[in-house]
Amino acid sequence: DIQLTQSPSFLSASVGDRVTITCRASQAIRGFLAWYQQKPGRAPKLLISAASTLQSGVPSRFSGSGFGTEFTLTISGLQPEDSATYYCQLLNTSPLPFGGGTKLEIK
Amino acid sequence: QVQLQESGPALVKPSETLSLTCTVSDDSMKTYYWGWIRQAPGKGLEWIGYVYYSGSTNYNPSLGGRLTISVATSMQQFSLRLTSVTAADTAVYYCARLVGPTTGFDSWGQGALVTVSS
């Protein structure tokens, strides 16, 4: 099975900063990767599919990129409401694992 | 905007069967895939499996032969059945819509906490 490793597991940044979260796959995947945002006590929210396709209604400060084994979620111009845990997920295979998560704290 | 709602017992005894149902607010069940994801307290997300309206399924192998996901399109519902539960199955269980195998889960229920305890 393909494993996903997210880094860092914790990130602290200030409003206006640009942050990057990385998701590494144990073998090359064809961009079938999604990113989610989860706030405490809430269900996850799909931000990005197919590695780089922003979902409708998601602010443009969120972007995704990558190919092969390394993928990134970038938030440009952090806002207070971006405080959350972010997960990547492998798609189009079985199983569909999630990464371990990255908790983003806004200072 | 589709709404999903989980329902089922909040407490299950060890070795018994966990059963949850997800009700979908619209008649789109024949268009999408329908899945379950869980999250143990304080932990990350774990994909459980999904079902297509035809009944074809894709399960997480880590759950072995304990898992059944079924669909009842006429009732706009799909269900999760997990047998022989242990404390390790205690989690918030989410139902969610998968637009396609390459797109991700784009709509989620609010989640249902199921505790396995005697």
Side-chain angles (χ1 to χ4, degrees), chain A residues 16-20 60-63 74-79 82:
Chain A
D17 282 355
R18 178 176 185 266
V19 299
T20 298
S60 59
R61 62 180 180 274
F62 290 90
S63 63
T74 299
I75 311 172
S76 301
L78 270 179
Q79 297 299 305
D82 299 334

Side-chain angles (χ1 to χ4, degrees), chain B residues 73-96:
Chain B
T73 54
S74 61
M75 298 178 65
Q76 295 177 197
Q77 293 180 333
F78 62 104
S79 299
L80 165 72
R81 187 170 180 270
L82 186 66
T83 62
S84 304
V85 297
T86 70
D89 295 308
T90 293
V92 174
Y93 286 75
Y94 294 101
C95 61

Side-chain angles (χ1 to χ4, degrees), chain A residues 36 38 42-43 49 92 94-96, chain B residues 39 47 58 94 101 103 105 109:
Chain A
Y36 300 86
Q38 186 181 32
R42 304 290 298 275
S49 63
N92 201 39
S94 182
L96 306 182
Chain B
Q39 186 170 35
W47 171 73
N58 186 2
Y94 294 101
T103 56
F105 291 96

